[in-house]
Amino acid sequence: MNTNSISVSIKLGAAAAGVALLLVLPGSGSMSHALYASILFTGFWLSDSGRTRRSRGGWIALVIVSGAVMRGWITGNADAGLEIAIRGLLALGTLLLLSAHLPPAELARWLRARGISADLVGTMLLLLRYGDLLHQEAFRLERARSSRSFSTSAETSWRAKSALLGALFVRAVSRAERVYRAMLARGWK
Amino acid sequence: MTLPFHHLLAGNRVGGIYFSIMHIPDGFLDLKTAATAGGLAALGLYAGGFAGVARDAETGVRRVSLLGMAAAFVFAAQMINFPVVGGTSGHLIGGVLIAILLGPAASVTVMTAVVVVQCLLFADGGITALGANLFNMALVAPLGGYLVWMLLQRINPVAASDTGSAVAAGIAAWAGTMLAALSCAGQLALSGMAPWGLVVPAMAGIHALIGLGEGIITGLIIRSVRRRGALSAEMRTAAGADQRSTMRLLPVFFITAAGAALFIAPWACPWPDGLEAVAGSLGFEVHAAGPVISGICPDYAIPALGTVWGTIAAGAFGAIVTALLILGAGRLAARREQAPVIDS
């Protein structure tokens, strides 16, 4: 389903309203929660898998469930824990759905139109553009180092990995200079 | 048509321990705590927005490109796993590292971009907890760590060497992580998620170890970057690492200190400290004389404001006075260094 025509305000507003609704809904397993979950499920069903981002959703779900178990254990009330778990997981689902339908460029334009500083918006855009690229670069650096190294301990040592990240930072800074010149050349203001 | 959820969870790595559990999800904070933290974060970022304003358009473009690549570096570095123990692994957080390399103003912008992108585009951290996450990770951690770094640089001349600098950076990164974890613990306790006596030892214990990892990685990276001489003076000025930009960030330091005091101070332990406990057990507590000089806020309280608000106000007051004293001492030390040498 193409949602590009829907404005960012509506998408963000709907997600925030959905999460706020979850926070005020009483109880842990009401019909309202079931209805919310079914709407969320339909949203995922209609989503185009090509548009979705890789997310640490599984890990975040684990943190939510751990927090819920802790809450239930502290209060001695399993319902209190269940309430946190259901709220947290449904809210996570809402954010995952939002992230699948929020193109970064549109978000940046929306933030800029609302007076958010060009520094922050530009930083966010470059982060999205170059984050994966630098990750691939780090992967290449690590592969190159391991191909020249025979010791397993050296491959995994903190000193070696930190040196790798140091080299990655140096490359990032040198790339920043190239990006700066390219931005100037294109009349970026 | 595809199966829902499976493609969204494709990238997660549940196999290792994830360094820092400070991304608070939705549902963990109550309305008053989320709103307070959000207000503080907004106030801090609004005040900080002016610190990084470039003097001319060209410097502005250079600044954006540098901050963007620094943010991309933090994002990529967070995906590199460091082996810990028992098959678990962790990764860098990076706020204090960027504060040391590119200045605190740059670090606040970079960490804000990272936290907002993680929340809105990767669902990492709740939308209602975005303010709290920004306050902890984009303000408390980098600015707290940077203050410790500055202090170590001032008091210890060895900190200027490569190894000394790495050690100072490691201590600062550890302190930044701990401060953010304590602020996070305060927010969770204030929301009634868990009692303070339980959530603080848990968060402080875990993050003391996580901070150790963060400190070692940060120190090693700082040493590696310093040895390569990667950052020119032009770049550091464009990023806002100069003294003028840092001074313009003072209101943000104060807001952050006051906010951290707001979340941590009310939970100050009412139990006697070590000396009081020993005096009590040995029975000479009754012989103790009263203070020679009464403090401004005895027992961290302002009686007129009540217990909780009095402790909050005393904590905020103490943080501001301490920050002013550190800055004053730093200025005096800098002036002494610049004093002309008169040959006899």
Side-chain angles (χ1 to χ4, degrees):
Chain A
M1 188 174 68
N2 191 349
T3 53
N4 280 355
S5 54
I6 302 172
S7 85
V8 174
S9 300
I10 292 175
K11 288 174 192 171
L12 282 175
V19 173
L21 179 72
L22 283 172
L23 296 185
V24 295
L25 273 180
S28 53
S30 65
M31 274 304 289
S32 316
H33 287 101
L35 186 66
Y36 190 96
S38 61
I39 292 170
L40 206 58
F41 194 82
T42 312
F44 277 113
W45 191 266
L46 293 173
S47 293
D48 175 8
S49 63
R51 292 170 58 90
T52 54
R53 284 189 186 82
R54 287 160 67 86
S55 163
R56 285 189 285 252
W59 168 256
I60 302 161
L62 195 66
V63 170
I64 292 168
V65 171
S66 308
V69 169
M70 193 184 79
R71 173 89 178 130
W73 176 63
I74 290 166
T75 55
N77 179 7
D79 272 356
L82 195 63
E83 197 177 321
I84 297 260
I86 287 175
R87 274 180 187 176
L89 292 175
L90 287 177
L92 172 64
T94 310
L95 279 185
L96 285 170
L97 190 59
L98 170 72
S99 73
H101 293 274
L102 199 58
E106 272 184 37
L107 176 67
R109 266 195 292 274
W110 184 84
L111 288 171
R112 198 71 193 99
R114 267 131 201 97
I116 303 295
S117 82
D119 273 8
L120 183 60
V121 177
T123 303
M124 280 171 60
L125 280 176
L126 287 174
L127 152 66
L128 286 162
R129 168 70 183 84
Y130 289 100
D132 266 351
L133 201 130
L134 281 187
H135 180 225
Q136 285 163 19
E137 200 151 329
F139 176 71
R140 283 199 299 275
L141 280 171
E142 193 157 14
R143 196 172 52 186
R145 189 180 49 76
S146 64
S147 69
R148 296 184 191 108
S149 164
F150 298 106
S151 160
T152 314
S153 63
E155 277 176 24
T156 53
S157 80
W158 283 40
R159 187 188 289 262
K161 289 216 169 188
S162 300
L164 186 145
L165 284 182
L168 188 68
F169 183 80
V170 173
R171 287 183 180 211
V173 166
S174 125
R175 192 184 291 272
E177 277 299 289
R178 296 206 299 277
V179 169
Y180 159 63
R181 287 180 205 293
M183 285 163 88
L184 278 187
R186 286 166 179 79
W188 205 88
K189 287 206 169 82
Chain B
M1 290 284 184
T2 54
L3 278 176
F5 296 113
H6 81 276
H7 47 266
L8 292 168
L9 307 180
N12 78 70
R13 290 169 313 197
V14 184
I17 188 169
Y18 181 58
F19 258 15
S20 175
I21 46 172
M22 275 188 274
H23 283 85
I24 304 172
D26 283 311
F28 278 41
L29 296 183
D30 64 2
L31 191 65
K32 71 171 187 311
T33 314
T36 309
L40 281 165
L43 200 64
L45 293 175
Y46 179 74
F50 301 106
V53 174
R55 279 126 217 161
D56 58 82
E58 212 170 297
T59 314
V61 177
R62 176 172 249 156
R63 180 179 158 78
V64 169
S65 67
L66 201 54
L67 296 195
M69 293 312 295
F73 165 77
V74 169
F75 207 72
Q78 289 188 352
M79 294 179 193
I80 305 286
N81 281 332
F82 282 73
V84 187
V85 281
T88 60
S89 59
H91 67 74
L92 180 79
I93 301 168
V96 181
L97 175 77
I98 299 297
I100 293 169
L101 289 172
L102 297 175
S107 182
V108 170
T109 310
V110 164
M111 291 312 288
T112 302
V114 170
V115 172
V116 170
V117 163
Q118 281 176 337
C119 172
L120 294 182
L121 299 177
F122 293 90
D124 203 351
I127 198 163
T128 53
L130 181 61
N133 287 332
L134 279 173
F135 181 75
N136 297 337
M137 285 184 282
L139 291 174
V140 174
L143 297 184
Y146 187 77
L147 265 184
V148 173
W149 158 260
M150 262 188 13
L151 192 67
L152 290 172
Q153 292 282 305
R154 294 270 187 221
I155 60 173
N156 186 6
V158 183
S161 69
D162 272 1
T163 307
S165 174
V167 172
I171 295 169
W174 181 86
T177 308
M178 282 300 285
L179 283 171
L182 284 175
S183 170
C184 179
Q187 288 157 2
L188 290 173
L190 206 61
S191 297
M193 183 70 188
W196 175 253
L198 201 73
V199 76
V200 163
M203 287 290 280
I206 293 168
H207 282 85
L209 290 174
I210 288 173
L212 211 59
E214 177 80 5
I216 294 170
I217 302 168
T218 302
L220 290 171
I221 294 175
I222 292 278
R223 196 172 69 155
S224 166
V225 171
R226 273 178 71 115
R227 283 186 173 173
R228 289 162 194 258
L231 286 164
S232 66
E234 259 181 332
M235 285 176 181
R236 283 179 59 83
T237 308
D242 55 326
Q243 200 177 3
R244 193 173 143 196
S245 295
T246 306
M247 290 309 283
R248 290 172 81 172
L249 214 62
L250 268 183
V252 190
F253 276 100
F254 289 142
I255 291 164
T256 308
L262 178 79
F263 292 122
I264 300 169
W267 310 103
C269 187
W271 299 337
D273 63 27
L275 186 62
E276 286 168 350
V278 170
S281 64
L282 295 178
F284 58 80
E285 193 182 32
V286 288
H287 302 296
V292 178
I293 302 167
S294 179
I296 300 167
C297 306
D299 283 334
Y300 309 102
I302 297 171
L305 294 178
T307 316
V308 172
W309 287 106
T311 313
I312 289 170
F317 176 69
I320 290 168
V321 169
T322 310
L324 285 174
L325 283 174
I326 291 170
L327 284 168
R331 286 217 145 185
L332 274 177
R335 198 172 291 170
R336 195 178 296 162
E337 274 172 21
Q338 286 165 4
V341 179
I342 301 165
D343 291 328
S344 55

